[in-house]
């Protein structure tokens, strides 16, 4: 399974398939300062003004080694957590325990 396969699967899941915008390789910063070069694998948000604002950052992992490396460096998630109120890992079934 590739990262693109996971992107496709994410776009089919509720609530994304029901109208939430879905951004692949979303740049999490502006300008040229520290942290501005960070990209999120995927980002989405609840777009309806009558409902609470929900923003998801999604990090895609296709290998166990990539996931364990990410766990050792939680600072990498700072950019995602600044612009989201929920953070998720997306991976092939059985990869994450």
């Amino acid at each position: 399974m590739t990262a693109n396969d996971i992107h496709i699967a994410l776009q089919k899941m509720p609530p994304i398939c029901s109208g939430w915008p879905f951004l692949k390789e979303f740049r999490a910063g502006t300008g040229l300062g520290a942290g501005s070069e960070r990209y999120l694998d995927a980002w989405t948000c609840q777009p309806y003004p009558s409902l609470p604002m929900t923003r998801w950052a999604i990090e895609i992992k296709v290998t166990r080694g990539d996931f364990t490396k990410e766990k050792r460096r939680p600072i990498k998630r700072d950019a995602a957590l600044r612009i989201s109120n929920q953070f998720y890992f997306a991976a092939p079934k059985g990869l994450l325990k």
Side-chain angles (χ1 to χ4, degrees):
M1 181 170 273
T2 67
N4 192 52
D5 294 331
I6 295 173
H7 273 120
I8 291 168
L10 287 170
Q11 291 175 61
K12 293 178 182 176
M13 64 177 272
I16 296 167
C17 68
S18 64
W20 286 31
F22 184 79
L23 304 169
K24 292 170 51 174
E25 300 299 323
F26 180 65
R27 187 173 176 176
T30 60
L32 301 172
S36 66
E37 300 289 323
R38 304 250 174 158
Y39 284 82
L40 308 178
D41 290 332
W43 189 85
T44 187
C45 68
Q46 186 289 113
Y48 309 109
S50 60
L51 298 172
M53 177 57 79
T54 302
R55 298 171 311 272
W56 295 359
I58 304 165
E59 181 70 23
I60 293 174
K61 298 297 174 193
V62 293
T63 67
R64 182 79 182 156
D66 191 21
F67 176 66
T68 56
K69 182 176 154 186
E70 176 83 21
K71 280 183 18 178
R72 288 192 301 268
R73 296 192 58 221
I75 192 81
K76 286 181 63 183
R77 293 189 288 277
D78 280 356
L81 296 172
R82 277 196 304 269
I83 62 170
S84 305
N85 54 5
Q86 295 182 31
F87 181 88
Y88 297 97
F89 286 105
K93 187 174 182 175
L95 185 81
L96 308 180
K97 297 176 182 163

